[in-house]
């Protein structure tokens, strides 16, 4: 079976930490979408590691790790990640597999990303500028380069053709970044990438599953950034919901088992776009400080607010979430009272549905108020030790979402995870 783990909010829910923990029970961890826009943070033996392209199973010795066909790969970022991890995991390259169908991000994709954002002015998406949108555009436009192409004797020709297409598009923009240095780094990284295990991953996965191996598909970004169901156009360019696993790995829907959805005890968003429960006051600042809410990929401050059950229920519905994991519960230790949005007021009417036109309507969240737990919970080891008001908070969320919370995460460490 293939279990799925994904973010239910706007990303950064703590997927990296949770995958690193759960990987102990799986044989293979597979990324199915996104690219180096992701930043998944892990703490292993006190070392902080941020993974962008490599699956978060690499620190469990027995785990194989697959970068699936649905991912867009920047060889430079990948090569840097490998260099950072190799001293800690010297068998990394034996356990890392890449689909030959995964798409490549080339330097001019990043230039296009920057030019497109600059041209949008005040309406910019707030992209991580890693070239994600342009790379997926080339994929669906049927112009993209795939990882398998780097093994072809015609690679340079194919690369130049795509680059020229980008240069032609860039003529319409006023300012264009000089990418000549990036190009050198890109070619070096491609050279290194040729030596990696580039495989026919859909067949490989199929064989592994036939042999009874357990696979966990690791999502990037979050459900509200999904290209179809997120707060379009303020989204990323891939399907971040469970459906993305099937086309991002070549897995049949009937193979999907558990769908594990991750949510913070509150909510954050980085980049532009609607965020109904955002706190633009000192409470929001306090959440950012307590939760160290700064982007793992770009370092940008994350916008903070209360947990939004309307958006979460929508995300659970879209992916058929079978169990929840709540992270960063410890961050809310000193907040009293705490709030949960249970409905939206739009034009004087209450709704529990996430609106299609959320960018164009004024949404006033309707809140349920709870007493804060006002007690540090970071050292709690069992569910029984957790304050009863915190458990009430969890029960309310479970009831609203009609889904069980399987774990509560109460710190950055691998061991700070409490089974419910
Ligand atoms: P991801 O993109 O979903 O993997 O999440 P990020 O790594 O971008 O951001 C999550 C941040 O929260 C990281 O810095 C984690 O170390 C941290 N984190 C994860 N779980 C917890 C938790 O339960 N408590 C606290 N305080 N921090 C956490
Ligand atoms: P992880 O996997 C949070 C956001 C960007 C921007 C929008 C589009 O760490 O949770 P893109 O670079 O894809 O063109 O950006 O999506 N975004 C993320 N926000 N976590 C992420 O990944 C994100 N990946 C992209 O900030 O608003
Ligand atoms: Mg992140």
């Amino acid at each position: 079976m293939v279990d799925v783990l994904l973010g239910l909010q706007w990303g950064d829910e703590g997927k990296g930490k949770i995958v690193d923990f759960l990987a102990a029970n799986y044989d293979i961890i597979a990324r199915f979408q996104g690219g180096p826009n992701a930043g998944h943070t892990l703490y292993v033996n006190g070392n902080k590691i941020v993974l962008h392209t490599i699956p978060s199973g690499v620190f469990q010795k027995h785990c194989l790790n697959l970068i699936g066909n649905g991912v867009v790969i920047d060889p430079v970022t990948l090569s840097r990640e490998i260099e950072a991890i190799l001293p800690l995991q010297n068998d990394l390259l034996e356990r890392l597999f890449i689909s030959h169908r995964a798409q490549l991000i080339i330097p001019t994709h990043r230039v296009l990303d920057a030019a497109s954002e600059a041209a949008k002015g005040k309406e910019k998406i707030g992209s991580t500028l890693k070239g994600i949108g342009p790379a997926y555009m080339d994929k669906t436009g049927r112009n993209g380069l795939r990882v398998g192409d780097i093994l072809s004797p015609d690679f340079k020709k194919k690369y130049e053709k795509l680059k020229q297409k980008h240069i032609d598009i860039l003529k319409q923009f006023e300012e264009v970044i000089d990418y000549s240095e990036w190009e050198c780094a890109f070619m070096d990284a491609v050279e290194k990438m040729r030596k990696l295990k580039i495989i026919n991953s859909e067949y490989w996965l199929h064989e592994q599953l036939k042999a009874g191996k357990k696979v966990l598909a690791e999502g990037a970004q979050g459900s509200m950034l999904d290209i179809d169901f997120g707060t379009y156009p303020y989204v990323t360019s891939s399907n971040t919901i469970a459906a993305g696993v099937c086309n991002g790995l070549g897995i049949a829907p009937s193979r999907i088992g558990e769908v594990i959805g991750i949510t913070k005890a509150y909510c954050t968003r980085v980049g532009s776009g609607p965020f109904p429960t955002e706190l633009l006051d000192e409470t929001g600042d306090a959440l950012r400080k307590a939760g160290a809410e700064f982007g793992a990929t770009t370092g940008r401050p994350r916008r903070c607010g209360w947990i939004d059950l309307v958006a979460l229920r929508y995300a659970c519905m879209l992916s058929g979430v079978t169990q929840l994991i709540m992270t960063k519960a410890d961050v809310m230790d000193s907040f009293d009272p705490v709030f949960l949005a249970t409905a939206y007021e739009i034009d004087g009417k209450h709704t529990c549905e996430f609106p299609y036109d959320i960018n164009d309507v004024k949404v006033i969240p309707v809140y349920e108020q709870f007493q804060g737990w006002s007690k540090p919970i970071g050292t709690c080891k069992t569910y029984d030790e957790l304050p009863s008001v915190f458990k009430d908070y969890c029960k309310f969320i479970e009831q609203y979402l009609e889904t069980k919370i399987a774990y509560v995460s109460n710190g950055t460490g691998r061991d700070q995870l409490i089974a419910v």
Side-chain angles (χ1 to χ4, degrees), residues 14-35:
K15 298 175 289 295
K17 167 188 158 154
I18 303 298
V19 172
D20 172 52
F21 171 82
L22 293 180
N25 305 320
Y26 289 91
D27 302 295
I28 299 168
I29 306 294
R31 276 278 304 270
F32 58 94
Q33 47 69 233

Side-chain angles (χ1 to χ4, degrees), residues 11-18 38-43 48 221 264 290-293 295-296 302 326-331 409-412 416:
D12 303 328
E13 296 88 350
K15 298 175 289 295
K17 167 188 158 154
I18 303 298
H40 295 181
T41 315
L42 283 60
Y43 281 89
K48 178 180 172 178
Q221 290 80 56
K264 287 182 188 177
E293 293 295 358
R302 294 176 183 149
M326 184 199 277
T327 56
K328 306 195 88 159
D330 54 303
V331 171
S409 169
N410 58 339
T412 53
Q416 286 174 296

Side-chain angles (χ1 to χ4, degrees), residues 10-12 15 37-40 125-128 221 235-236 270 300:
W10 281 279
D12 303 328
K15 298 175 289 295
N37 47 351
H40 295 181
I125 309 295
S127 164
T128 59
Q221 290 80 56
V235 292
T236 190
V270 59
R300 291 178 291 177

